[in-house]
Amino acid sequence: MITARDERLHVVTTTGILRDLVQHVGGDRVDAVSLIPDNADPHSYEPTLRDARNVVYADVAFSNYAMLEEHSVIKTLDANLRADAVNVSLAEEAVKYAAEIIPLVEDVTLDTVWLGLRAEGAGARYGATRASEVQLSATAATGPGAIYGYLTGSFGNTDIYFDSSNGFDVATGYRNDTMSLPADAHTHLSWAFTKPGVYTLTLQAKLRVDATSKPIPLGSATYTFAVGVNPARAAAEAGIKDPVILNQGHADLAANLDAGKLEVRYDPGGGGEHSQRTYPADRVVVDVPAKGLEQIPAGLQYRFLGRAGDEIYQLPQAVLGKHVHGEIDPHLWQNVRNGIAYVQLIRDTLIRADSEGAREYTANANAYVHELETTDAYVRDTIAQIPEQDRYLVTTHDAFGYLAHAYGLNIAGFVTPNPAVEPSLSDRRKLTATIRSLAVPAVFLEPNLAARSSTLADVAADQGIQVCPIYGDTFSDTVTSYTQMMRFNADSLRDCLTH
């Protein structure tokens, strides 16, 4: 823990991987701590009061960002850091040091539209920062039944954000029907409707620049849904001329911070922000087709939808778990060349904060870059030993795009079961078919995500193949440094994928 009496440069990082990089560059001149403990998941970790205290005493802060960390971690960092401290987002800034960025590509395997929420733009004209929040509230709804917007977590729990069955309470500021997003981010939801017919849902958006500021209105809009009915006829009934029917790919109900209005961002091919087109809300009809008819699963967490076995119409949540993200894959360090870019950026940042240590920081960084170059060659040479036809990676977590791109692997798949139900026979069949068709000799599991691995482990057992370890976002008790992690991953891939 950082203390006020320590004379070293106080550095706080979000993850243990970043802490390790800082320690190698900073040496004895730096006291580095990470907010997120080793073995914890950066995507879901909630900061503590002790974390806030560490931030208060920090001279320098490093986050990965690009929406890797849970937003509450970023808010804790930015809210408690001194005004004169240096605050660096490595994923964004490392491009200046030749880091390679990969767009976050979402694999569209659903046969209905993915429908999420988006906060579009950075909101600079309002003074918004990465710690600011956009609040999207449901304020009215019409239709023959109830509308629900909810999120299913990685362990099957549900968080309900919009529920029209009990009305919308203006007296509380629609507190019980509000979802918050960071600026310039989006998330996926499940959407459920209890009866067929035409529905409307009105959303309003507000920007909260910081915890003490008054929310800034960003407008409101009404969206139309055709549930189990012909969407073109629904559009005609609603008086929508030349409608845009959202029936495949990826769409977001979006609050545009720069334009101060709500709209729709849509790409029928399923791409991210770079390929989405913008449409006014009053021109769009969201198609919830008859094939979206599902039975409510058993379990107390789904009781809000009705009785188990009753039928609802649903647009499933495209990605299991709380999944708020931006437009680039944030796991840059899985390519060691990007790790080198991080180190060079850390070196220059520490020199800026402590110029007297410039010579030491430079020498440490040079030595560590040499170690990383050796590690990069080791990873490349080790993975090259795997027969080319066997270089397929199946995991539980989509964290290895950079590893695959840099070292000649193919991402064959990762477990994303339908969030409305427990992993289904269909999910298992798809995973089994992938493993069989590619003759995959092993699948890979991150040790810190073992609790989420039942489907992957069960299918692997059925097929008589190995479940092998791989490290993505965090260390463990046995793998405690970045270079050790990357070498371990290379060895595990070679040993498990070589027949």
Side-chain angles (χ1 to χ4, degrees):
M1 183 176 71
I2 293 177
T3 66
R5 296 184 298 274
D6 197 323
E7 294 182 356
R8 292 175 293 174
L9 192 69
H10 297 167
V11 179
V12 64
T13 69
T14 51
T15 73
I17 292 172
L18 303 185
R19 181 195 67 234
D20 183 57
L21 301 184
V22 170
Q23 287 173 333
H24 276 87
V25 178
D28 294 336
R29 295 187 68 92
V30 164
D31 177 28
V33 299
S34 59
L35 301 181
I36 302 167
D38 294 342
N39 278 318
D41 182 3
H43 303 280
S44 60
Y45 177 75
E46 291 292 337
T48 65
L49 290 175
R50 180 173 180 170
D51 295 329
R53 173 183 167 84
N54 283 337
V55 174
V56 167
Y57 290 119
D59 303 303
V60 180
F62 291 104
S63 55
N64 186 80
Y65 204 49
M67 306 296 171
L68 173 81
E69 301 91 346
E70 171 68 29
H71 194 223
S72 57
V73 173
I74 297 300
K75 290 172 66 178
T76 296
L77 187 66
D78 291 0
N80 292 283
L81 200 63
R82 298 194 323 269
D84 61 343
V86 181
N87 191 1
V88 174
S89 302
L90 288 164
E92 283 88 350
E93 293 295 320
V95 295
K96 301 174 184 176
Y97 293 78
E100 182 179 12
I101 298 296
I102 296 177
L104 191 62
V105 177
E106 296 170 313
D107 180 19
V108 180
T109 57
L110 299 177
D111 55 2
T112 57
V113 66
W114 289 13
L115 185 65
L117 300 176
R118 179 179 292 273
E120 180 78 14
R125 71 187 229 183
Y126 302 111
T129 69
R130 65 178 189 170
S132 301
E133 288 186 340
V134 175
Q135 299 171 335
L136 285 158
S137 302
T139 62
T142 65
I147 304 174
Y148 299 94
Y150 69 99
L151 186 149
T152 302
S154 299
F155 296 99
N157 57 301
T158 54
D159 294 317
I160 307 164
Y161 292 101
F162 308 133
D163 176 359
S164 72
S165 68
N166 54 9
F168 303 99
D169 190 358
V170 65
T172 65
Y174 307 104
R175 182 179 58 215
N176 295 328
D177 291 285
T178 295
M179 186 174 194
S180 296
L181 286 175
D184 208 20
H186 80 278
T187 190
H188 304 282
L189 289 180
S190 288
W191 300 84
F193 305 81
T194 57
K195 295 180 180 180
V198 179
Y199 291 74
T200 66
L201 179 68
T202 301
L203 298 180
Q204 72 173 19
K206 295 181 179 180
L207 171 65
R208 198 176 194 100
V209 174
D210 56 51
T212 61
S213 64
K214 184 178 180 180
I216 301 168
L218 296 174
S220 66
T222 298
Y223 300 91
T224 300
F225 298 80
V227 178
V229 297
N230 186 308
R233 292 180 182 174
E237 289 180 19
I240 301 174
K241 298 180 179 179
D242 190 23
V244 177
I245 308 297
L246 311 188
N247 56 10
Q248 62 182 341
H250 183 181
D252 291 309
L253 311 183
N256 189 321
L257 278 69
D258 298 323
K261 63 181 180 180
L262 275 81
E263 53 198 17
V264 176
R265 299 276 289 165
Y266 179 49
D267 174 21
E273 180 182 24
H274 62 285
S275 57
Q276 287 181 324
R277 294 185 63 183
T278 301
Y279 298 95
D282 60 6
R283 192 183 158 195
V284 164
V285 175
V286 181
D287 183 18
V288 186
K291 63 185 175 183
L293 194 62
E294 299 278 355
Q295 288 188 343
I296 299 172
L300 292 176
Q301 68 270 40
Y302 300 109
R303 187 71 58 82
F304 69 95
L305 292 171
R307 294 180 301 179
D310 286 352
E311 291 185 330
I312 57 170
Y313 290 82
Q314 181 160 262
L315 296 178
Q317 179 182 328
V319 180
L320 186 67
K322 189 174 183 181
H323 195 74
V324 176
H325 58 82
E327 299 302 326
I328 67 168
D329 185 336
H331 305 89
L332 277 71
W333 60 86
Q334 288 291 336
N335 177 347
V336 180
R337 305 307 303 182
N338 285 344
I340 291 173
Y342 275 27
V343 166
Q344 293 168 336
L345 174 54
I346 289 168
R347 173 201 63 203
D348 291 350
T349 303
L350 296 182
I351 290 173
R352 179 154 53 103
D354 175 25
S355 59
E356 293 181 1
R359 179 173 298 179
E360 185 172 344
Y361 297 141
T362 300
N364 291 343
N366 288 342
Y368 191 39
V369 166
H370 178 71
E371 180 182 349
L372 292 177
E373 288 174 339
T374 302
T375 299
D376 178 58
Y378 180 88
V379 173
R380 193 176 311 280
D381 293 345
T382 302
I383 291 177
Q385 297 172 34
I386 304 169
E388 187 171 353
Q389 68 271 18
D390 293 328
R391 295 179 197 166
Y392 289 97
L393 182 59
V394 177
T395 70
T396 55
H397 178 206
D398 185 20
F400 301 98
Y402 290 94
L403 181 74
H405 182 72
Y407 303 107
L409 292 165
N410 299 289
I411 301 295
F414 47 89
V415 180
T416 54
N418 187 319
V421 295
E422 293 299 315
S424 66
L425 289 175
S426 176
D427 298 322
R428 294 174 66 98
R429 289 193 195 103
K430 289 177 183 177
L431 192 58
T432 299
T434 296
I435 291 170
R436 283 178 175 172
S437 65
L438 298 175
V440 175
V443 296
F444 294 83
L445 169 65
E446 294 164 80
N448 69 307
L449 298 181
R452 310 179 193 180
S453 66
S454 59
T455 299
L456 186 63
D458 290 348
V459 170
D462 290 344
Q463 297 302 305
I465 63 175
Q466 298 182 80
V467 178
C468 296
I470 192 169
Y471 286 83
D473 299 331
T474 188
F475 299 143
S476 69
D477 295 337
T478 55
V479 173
T480 59
S481 74
Y482 174 60
T483 54
Q484 184 185 10
M485 180 185 82
M486 295 306 298
R487 287 172 176 265
F488 180 97
N489 284 352
D491 289 341
S492 185
L493 288 163
R494 178 198 57 201
D495 295 346
C496 295
L497 292 180
T498 302
H499 289 282

